[in-house]
Amino acid sequence: METTRGASLSKRNRRGIIVMATAAAIGISGCASTGVSSEPNPADPWEGFNRKVFAFNDVLDRYALRPAAQGYHFVTPDPLERGVTNFFNNLGEIRTAFNSLLQGKPSNAGVASTRFLMNSTFGLAGLLDPATHAGFVANDEDFGQTLGVWGVPEGPYVVLPFYGPSTVRTATGLPVDFYTYPLTYVENDTVRYSLRALELLDARAQLLSQEDLLRGDRYSFIRDAWLQRMRFEVNDGEIGDDTFIDDDFDYDEDAFAE
């Protein structure tokens, strides 16, 4: 059985959603070090444009999404909040199974499928997570990772309005991620939009306690951490050399699993 490489946090991000600055915060939990290189990053040739979009996303997050997430976290009992997170994570197993097959990982596809079936039935539609307690843990996969496994270059780093950090390759995979996510096929608009809003609030609320890990230039920190994590996922846990990150920027494998 394959082991996790931080699937829970990656699923909290739920790449098919427009997550404003929440998507940027993926990197926060993966790296607790304060060392971020001030040198130009060769992966970020569009830095001037990206910083402007980052500032736009940051304003939206600071004055709209973050306060709403704080309110949601304050009024929602912890067991219920965990149940909401489990519910949306469970929906992501379908995407993981699909992309695992495309990547030639039938074992991971089988584990993801088992997780979905077990949690959807014994876990009360995914509110509970008996599959993890039974030892079934799959590596989270999306189509951006699939393209990476297929050898498609990651391309320049780009910050997308409302969504956050990405690369050209990751952004190319978003439409496929969208159509392999079950909420896309909920026909009732009110139900679909309500679930999307709840998912967004829950995803942002999971990151509230991790914001104090940001150090120095927030843009550079988030960019470097996000790129490191993305490469970590594509390479199934092997980061390789990141020359734009200085020696003090340490990778903590345990932090990815929290």
Side-chain angles (χ1 to χ4, degrees), residues 17-82:
I17 276 189
I18 307 291
V19 190
M20 298 183 181
T22 304
I26 273 185
I28 299 176
S29 68
C31 307
S33 173
T34 62
V36 179
S37 174
S38 60
E39 296 297 322
N41 188 332
D44 188 12
W46 304 332
E47 183 172 346
F49 167 81
N50 286 335
R51 283 186 177 272
K52 293 178 181 178
V53 178
F54 176 85
F56 170 77
N57 288 346
D58 190 54
V59 169
L60 290 179
D61 179 68
R62 184 174 303 177
Y63 294 104
L65 183 55
R66 186 175 185 273
Q70 289 175 318
Y72 164 80
H73 181 68
F74 180 78
V75 303
T76 306
D78 288 344
L80 179 57
E81 191 170 343
R82 284 195 299 271

Side-chain angles (χ1 to χ4, degrees), residues 31 34-45 47 154-157 166-167 217 219-232 239-250:
C31 307
T34 62
V36 179
S37 174
S38 60
E39 296 297 322
N41 188 332
D44 188 12
E47 183 172 346
E154 67 183 41
Y157 176 78
S166 185
T167 61
D217 178 21
Y219 172 84
S220 297
F221 187 104
I222 291 173
R223 176 198 61 200
D224 293 353
W226 189 91
L227 286 170
Q228 184 186 37
R229 181 180 179 83
M230 181 270 295
R231 291 164 181 168
F232 172 85
I239 299 178
D241 296 328
D242 289 315
T243 56
F244 60 88
I245 299 178
D246 67 25
D247 292 337
D248 294 328
F249 193 83
D250 298 326

Side-chain angles (χ1 to χ4, degrees), residues 111-148:
V111 173
S113 300
T114 299
R115 285 183 53 81
F116 179 76
L117 293 173
M118 183 177 293
N119 288 343
S120 297
T121 52
F122 301 110
L124 304 178
L127 294 175
L128 303 177
D129 187 11
T132 295
H133 295 291
F136 293 98
V137 181
N139 290 334
D140 185 32
E141 306 288 354
D142 61 27
F143 196 67
Q145 292 169 243
T146 297
L147 292 174

Side-chain angles (χ1 to χ4, degrees), residues 28 66 73 204-213:
I28 299 176
R66 186 175 185 273
H73 181 68
R204 185 62 180 89
Q206 304 307 314
L207 298 162
L208 291 173
S209 63
Q210 299 161 356
E211 293 176 338
D212 59 353
L213 297 178

